[in-house]
């Protein structure tokens, strides 16, 4: 009897390389809005401008006597909150997904009225709009120029809080692990005295300078005088810290990343204008064009009250 051993092997030359795809979709992190969380919010604004009145009194104490002797004046004035009204329009054609792994997430219907991971897409768009709005609040200018922040409908913080408008200005120094605490202390020392009693004093800075301050404080002997605010873990707020021995909170913002400047003063003196919501983002299926349209309307603006109550370092 002749016994034979047969060896078989796979011939896989006609099969493509296998890829396993996840059933979820990731979102890249962006920093988003910071300034409106601490500013005075002016809601339900429509159009392009809101005028907010404020009053200043010159008060004179007179020696007591019979009669009425008028002295002093009441001055009425206005803060302007200028608004931008913007939109985002995008289209998604579900049928362009037929040749991709995403086709497995499409419905079995002949008309695709939704796209895969639609909620994730809308969330990512909202996050990126928030990031752009934060930068615009700091960098916008009505002046013409070559950047996306030129020729806009309002001036941002950089153009409202200036020494020419009354703010106290000192020379800029970047914060590092060796000088960070000294840099921020100098800024604190130049905040106008008339607002030092307020409980909403903040210093806005870039994330780079914020890291320099944190490193400097960790390297100093003041380790028992500060705590890092971890509220962001629970409520979505950004990290911040109290400058040791002061009533001033230091807050980093993406609006100042790459900008050599610090802004110190009352958070409530920033007037942030918006509609009932900063933005509304939605997806709608258009049966006549057979596509999914993504639409976002955004209303935001800024004004600053009493610029003379701020200190800037730039």
């Amino acid at each position: 009897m002749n016994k034979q051993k047969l060896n078989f092997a796979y011939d896989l030359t006609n099969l493509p390389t296998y890829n396993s795809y996840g059933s979820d979709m990731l979102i890249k992190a962006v920093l988003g809005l910071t300034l409106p969380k601490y500013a005075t919010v002016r809601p339900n604004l429509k159009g392009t401008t809101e005028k907010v009145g404020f009053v200043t009194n010159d008060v004179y104490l007179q020696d007591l006597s019979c009669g009425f002797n008028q002295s002093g004046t009441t001055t009425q004035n206005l803060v302007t909150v200028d608004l931008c009204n913007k939109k985002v329009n995008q289209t998604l054609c579900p049928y362009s997904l037929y040749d991709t792994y995403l086709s497995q997430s499409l419905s079995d219907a002949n008309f695709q009225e939704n796209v895969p991971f639609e909620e994730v897409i809308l969330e990512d768009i909202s996050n990126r709009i928030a990031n752009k709005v934060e930068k615009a609040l700091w960098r916008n200018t009505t002046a013409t120029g070559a950047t996306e922040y030129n020729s806009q409908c309002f001036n941002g913080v950089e153009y409202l809080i200036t020494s020419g408008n009354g703010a106290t200005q000192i020379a800029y120094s970047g914060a590092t692990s060796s000088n960070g605490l000294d840099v921020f202390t100098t800024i604190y020392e130049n905040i106008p005295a008339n607002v030092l009693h307020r409980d909403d004093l903040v210093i806005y800075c870039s994330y780079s300078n914020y890291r320099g301050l944190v490193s400097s404080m960790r390297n100093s002997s003041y380790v028992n005088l500060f705590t890092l605010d971890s509220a962001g873990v629970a409520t979505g707020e950004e990290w911040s810290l109290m400058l040791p021995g002061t009533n001033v909170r230091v807050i980093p913002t993406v609006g100042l990343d790459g900008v050599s400047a610090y802004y110190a003063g009352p958070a409530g003196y920033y007037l942030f204008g918006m509609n009932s919501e900063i933005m509304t983002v939605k997806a709608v299926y258009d049966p006549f064009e057979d596509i999914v349209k993504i639409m976002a309307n955004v209303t935001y603006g800024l004004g600053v009250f009493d610029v003379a109550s701020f200190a800037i370092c730039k």
Side-chain angles (χ1 to χ4, degrees), residues 275-305:
N275 210 321
S276 59
E277 299 176 308
I278 298 175
M279 72 183 86
T280 302
V281 184
K282 59 184 178 180
V284 178
Y285 173 69
D286 185 338
F288 299 101
E289 295 193 39
D290 198 15
I291 57 175
V292 175
K293 294 182 176 179
I294 295 178
M295 300 175 291
N297 286 356
V298 193
T299 298
Y300 58 97
L302 186 72
V304 176
F305 170 60

Side-chain angles (χ1 to χ4, degrees), residues 58-62 68-73:
D58 294 321
V59 176
Y60 295 90
L61 296 178
Q62 306 177 41
F68 182 85
N69 301 299
Q70 187 276 332
S71 65
T73 57

Side-chain angles (χ1 to χ4, degrees), residues 188 190-202 242 245-249 264-269 305-306 309:
Y188 166 74
N190 282 274
I191 296 175
N194 65 295
V195 293
L196 281 179
H197 66 290
R198 292 180 61 94
D199 61 3
D200 66 341
L201 292 180
V202 296
M242 297 300 295
T246 75
N247 58 331
V248 179
R249 182 172 294 279
Y269 282 14
F305 170 60
D306 193 15
S309 294

Side-chain angles (χ1 to χ4, degrees), residues 25 92 113-125 282-285 292-294:
M25 184 73 70
L92 298 174
E113 299 185 11
N114 301 96
V115 293
F117 306 108
E118 190 172 286
E119 292 184 2
V120 176
I121 293 171
L122 295 181
E123 182 179 352
D124 184 62
I125 289 174
K282 59 184 178 180
V284 178
Y285 173 69
V292 175
K293 294 182 176 179
I294 295 178

Side-chain angles (χ1 to χ4, degrees), residues 38 181 184 201-203 205 209-218 225-230 238-244 246-252:
Y38 300 91
L181 191 55
F184 279 85
L201 292 180
V202 296
I203 299 175
C205 64
N209 285 322
Y210 182 76
R211 290 191 187 105
L213 172 62
V214 173
S215 298
S216 175
M217 293 169 67
R218 287 173 60 89
L225 290 180
F226 78 94
T227 57
L228 292 173
D229 180 9
S230 60
E238 61 289 312
W239 286 82
S240 62
L241 58 81
M242 297 300 295
L243 194 63
T246 75
N247 58 331
V248 179
R249 182 172 294 279
V250 179
I251 304 172

Side-chain angles (χ1 to χ4, degrees), residues 32-77:
L33 288 169
T34 299
L35 187 62
K37 295 178 181 178
Y38 300 91
T40 297
V41 175
R42 307 289 302 182
N44 304 320
L45 302 188
K46 300 175 179 65
T48 58
T49 302
E50 183 193 45
K51 302 290 186 180
V52 184
F54 70 93
V55 63
T56 303
N57 283 288
D58 294 321
V59 176
Y60 295 90
L61 296 178
Q62 306 177 41
D63 291 334
L64 183 63
S65 63
C66 293
F68 182 85
N69 301 299
Q70 187 276 332
S71 65
T73 57
T74 296
T75 302
Q76 299 283 350
N77 215 324

Side-chain angles (χ1 to χ4, degrees), residues 1-23:
M1 183 175 181
N2 186 17
K3 294 183 178 180
Q4 292 183 335
K5 181 179 180 181
L6 301 178
N7 293 323
F8 290 91
Y10 284 115
D11 182 355
L12 304 178
T13 56
N14 294 322
L15 296 181
T17 302
Y18 173 74
N19 292 291
S20 176
Y21 293 98
S23 60

